[in-house]
Amino acid sequence: MKSKNLIGIVLFALVLCFTSFGHSQSKKKAQKEKVKTEAMEPQSDIMTFLKSSKSHTVLVKVIDASGLSEKLSSEGAYTLFAPTDEAFGKLPEGTLKSLLKPENKEKLKAILAYHIIPGNFNSTEIVKAIENNNGESDFRTLNEEAISAYTKDGILVLTGANGNDSEVEISDMQQTNGYVHIVDAVIIPN
């Protein structure tokens, strides 16, 4: 009799543990799904996002110097291919310093505007346009020049008018006024 009671108690304890464990796991899963959903919701405009990024301090500086910060803070919609600080470091020595001079403001603005496409374009839409156009598609930028996009080994690549390529490192960072795609090189227009 004692062994039956002991077995019953052990079985009851096991059922209680498994039920509690299962409830705990589904609660954790629900919390993770909630975090994913919340993380995907855009919380700021493009300019605010860039200012909070440790990888875009140079980009913020040149956007401010060019006068485009107000545009990237406005309602939009814009798609920005955002060069990292490292990307600006790949420019020939002295280029950035020269571009930041007041007399070169229009040239700087033209280069930055070449990284902005009016409208919301996530990577899926860009790749679809590429596929629908025999492997390459042009997009009209804010400075009215076209930038070409294609994929290479599954990576989205942009080609500037002067032939330099820039790979998208991180895509689809949705903001309240558009998308930001992180690129590894500054793209130069004509």
Side-chain angles (χ1 to χ4, degrees), residues 78-106:
Y78 302 104
T79 299
L80 171 67
F81 296 100
T84 60
D85 293 347
E86 190 175 304
F88 279 100
K90 293 177 184 178
L91 290 172
E93 192 172 332
T95 302
L96 185 59
K97 189 175 182 178
S98 174
L99 287 171
L100 288 170
K101 291 180 180 179
E103 61 268 24
N104 292 327
K105 182 177 180 176
E106 289 306 311

Side-chain angles (χ1 to χ4, degrees), residues 12-26:
F12 178 74
L14 286 173
V15 168
L16 187 60
C17 285
F18 283 121
T19 305
S20 174
F21 176 76
H23 177 71
S24 169
Q25 293 303 314
S26 34

Side-chain angles (χ1 to χ4, degrees), residues 6 32 53 76 81-82 91 135 139:
L6 185 59
K32 281 184 182 179
S53 170
F81 296 100
L91 290 172
F139 293 88

Side-chain angles (χ1 to χ4, degrees), residues 50-98:
L50 292 174
K51 287 179 179 178
S52 70
S53 170
K54 293 179 181 178
S55 301
H56 293 94
T57 58
V58 175
L59 181 59
V60 169
K61 184 178 180 178
V62 295
I63 288 173
D64 285 341
S66 73
L68 286 172
S69 59
E70 190 175 315
K71 185 169 285 296
L72 293 174
S73 299
S74 70
E75 202 168 297
Y78 302 104
T79 299
L80 171 67
F81 296 100
T84 60
D85 293 347
E86 190 175 304
F88 279 100
K90 293 177 184 178
L91 290 172
E93 192 172 332
T95 302
L96 185 59
K97 189 175 182 178
S98 174

